[in-house]
Amino acid sequence: MNTNYITATSPFNNYYKYSWANTIYLSSEVGQAGKITQVAFYVYDGTNYSMSNQKILMRETSASSYTSTAYPGETGFTTVFNGSITYNWSGSSGWQIITLTTPFTYSGTNNLEMLFENNSGTYVNNYQFFDVTTGYSTNRIRTDFNDASFPSTCVNCG
């Protein structure tokens, strides 16, 4: 486990009504081939709440970084989760586990790309802070957010 982290609103940014985050995990970070049935994120701060209309998508990629901040679209991705995510804040930092509704079979030879989409249409104060342990400074995370509608074109992307 990498304990060197920064606080960031990735992969989920529920401070805005709509958002997305796109992340590349290197094959060396994933560790091995196999069926992915859960994903976990280290949560730094927050409260108990549920976010509806959340989507997680995965695909394998040869890319090791992004050269654009644009929304990638869903083409080529497999939807592995589509529904509500409930966060149970224990009062201290810890892992938030999300069980996928459709497991993803990962070859272990390519990098893993994940796309997280928030279409809840609401935001929550005192939201969860997810801690990014890798990739934040090496162009392996890109995000966008908006209150008016889902940002499929660059609104506040970066």
Side-chain angles (χ1 to χ4, degrees):
M1 176 177 80
N2 185 344
T3 58
N4 297 312
Y5 56 82
I6 61 168
T7 300
T9 52
S10 179
F12 302 101
N13 184 347
N14 57 310
Y15 192 64
Y16 291 89
K17 295 179 181 178
Y18 305 93
S19 62
W20 60 266
N22 194 202
T23 305
I24 295 173
Y25 296 94
L26 302 178
S27 60
S28 60
E29 294 168 330
V30 178
Q32 66 185 29
K35 194 170 280 196
I36 300 172
T37 60
Q38 295 179 319
V39 293
F41 301 96
Y42 197 75
V43 178
Y44 176 71
D45 194 4
T47 186
N48 293 340
Y49 67 91
S50 183
M51 288 176 68
S52 62
N53 298 318
Q54 302 300 298
K55 197 181 237 186
I56 302 173
L57 302 99
M58 292 183 181
R59 71 179 172 193
E60 293 194 32
T61 183
S62 60
S64 58
S65 65
Y66 296 117
T67 58
S68 164
T69 58
Y71 173 68
E74 294 183 359
T75 302
F77 282 95
T78 299
T79 301
V80 296
F81 183 88
N82 190 358
S84 295
I85 297 174
T86 300
Y87 298 99
N88 298 309
W89 174 247
S90 66
S92 62
S93 301
W95 291 98
Q96 176 68 51
I97 297 171
I98 300 168
T99 300
L100 305 178
T101 51
T102 304
F104 183 81
T105 302
Y106 175 64
S107 73
T109 56
N110 294 307
N111 296 327
L112 180 66
E113 184 175 9
M114 297 180 70
L115 176 61
F116 305 89
E117 296 180 351
N118 168 19
N119 283 291
S120 67
T122 60
Y123 68 89
V124 177
N125 287 321
N126 196 23
Y127 57 93
Q128 304 285 7
F129 289 96
F130 294 91
D131 295 324
V132 177
T133 59
T134 186
Y136 198 75
S137 63
T138 55
N139 296 323
R140 288 196 283 138
I141 298 173
R142 56 184 174 181
T143 64
D144 200 0
F145 55 88
N146 191 28
D147 273 335
S149 62
F150 187 80
S152 59
T153 59
C154 186
V155 179
N156 297 293
C157 56

